[in-house]
Amino acid sequence: GPSNSEGASKVSLLKKVPALKDGDFTLAECTAILLYLSRKYNTPDHWYPSDIQKRAQVDEYLSWHHANIRANAPKTMWIKVLIPLFTGQPLPSEKLQEVMEGLSTSLKQFEERFLQDKAFIIGSEISLADLVAIVELMQPVGVGCDIFEDRPRLREWRRRVEDAVGKELFFQAHEMILNIKELSNIQIDPQLKEQLAPVLMKMLK
């Protein structure tokens, strides 16, 4: 999301998180950060394979992800928690239904085009593609939209991702997302509400 702090502008020209500062080097955008870290720290090959075709499959998914899963899944969190929190008004149920329909279409494509009958997106081992996908798909779950419930293939893929990462680490990483509804109980500074409400509304357009 956007950040207006002076420190944020020094790390990211876009003034958004996530952003990375590694010594004098700065980098924005989560996918670029993941790829940079995987290369710098020589991570196990399955995360971003050295095999050119497998690596291209990871790249293919990451390119598709932004305009599909990412274009829909996070909006459930904006609609059900964040926008009501900052505007003081719930959004009409039709808006959530519209987003869920778009997400359902993306999930069908995800299962049929990318997952198919494989254990993970590019084969038998977990990759960065799976990590990017699962983080986005846990956001609807955190606000009570269980997208895995009626999708056994997707549910089994999630279980395999949990096992590959380690259940404790998996739920630790998603703790904030899974408890996002608790934000509805906090008090927001009126000036911050005034600044962020238009930004959040714009994200849904």
Side-chain angles (χ1 to χ4, degrees):
S3 174
N4 293 320
S5 69
E6 183 180 349
S9 63
K10 292 180 179 178
V11 177
S12 169
L13 293 176
L14 302 175
K15 296 185 179 181
K16 287 185 176 182
V17 294
L20 171 75
K21 189 172 189 301
D22 185 14
D24 294 330
F25 177 69
T26 60
L27 188 65
E29 300 298 336
C30 61
T31 300
I33 292 169
L34 281 174
L35 297 180
Y36 171 77
L37 291 174
S38 72
R39 291 163 177 148
K40 175 173 180 177
Y41 293 104
N42 193 28
T43 55
D45 191 68
H46 63 84
W47 290 115
Y48 194 49
S50 54
D51 179 279
I52 189 170
Q53 292 185 352
K54 289 183 177 179
R55 178 169 287 196
Q57 287 180 301
V58 174
D59 292 338
E60 179 186 34
Y61 175 77
L62 294 177
S63 296
W64 176 86
H65 175 89
H66 282 272
N68 293 276
I69 300 296
R70 177 161 289 167
N72 291 294
K75 289 181 180 178
T76 58
M77 189 168 57
W78 305 130
I79 290 171
K80 296 199 74 172
V81 177
L82 296 178
I83 289 179
L85 178 65
F86 282 94
T87 64
Q89 298 291 330
L91 286 175
S93 59
E94 292 81 6
K95 193 65 182 177
L96 179 61
Q97 182 179 350
E98 177 186 327
V99 167
M100 292 303 293
E101 287 173 359
L103 180 55
S104 181
T105 299
S106 294
L107 290 174
K108 187 174 186 294
Q109 293 174 354
F110 176 80
E111 289 186 288
E112 294 178 356
R113 171 64 183 86
F114 292 99
L115 195 54
Q116 300 176 1
D117 59 353
K118 298 173 291 184
F120 299 99
I121 291 175
I122 66 162
S124 60
E125 293 185 288
I126 193 171
S127 71
L128 291 180
D130 299 282
L131 282 190
V132 169
I134 196 65
V135 167
E136 221 78 70
L137 294 179
M138 291 301 290
Q139 294 183 44
V141 175
V143 294
C145 302
D146 192 346
I147 58 173
F148 298 98
E149 186 176 9
D150 299 320
R151 296 181 175 91
R153 181 163 45 172
L154 196 67
R155 186 171 61 245
E156 285 302 303
W157 165 76
R158 172 188 163 175
R159 180 190 57 77
R160 289 190 291 269
V161 173
E162 287 181 19
D163 290 342
V165 172
K167 288 187 180 294
E168 183 177 353
L169 179 58
F170 181 91
F171 285 102
Q172 181 182 347
H174 293 95
E175 183 178 6
M176 183 175 293
I177 289 174
L178 294 174
N179 293 301
I180 193 74
K181 287 190 286 188
E182 294 180 5
L183 283 179
S184 60
N185 299 321
I186 67 173
Q187 296 295 317
I188 304 294
D189 179 85
Q191 186 176 358
L192 184 60
K193 279 188 176 183
E194 187 177 343
Q195 289 176 344
L196 289 184
V199 176
L200 291 171
M201 292 298 292
K202 187 177 180 181
M203 295 173 86
L204 286 177
K205 293 181 179 180

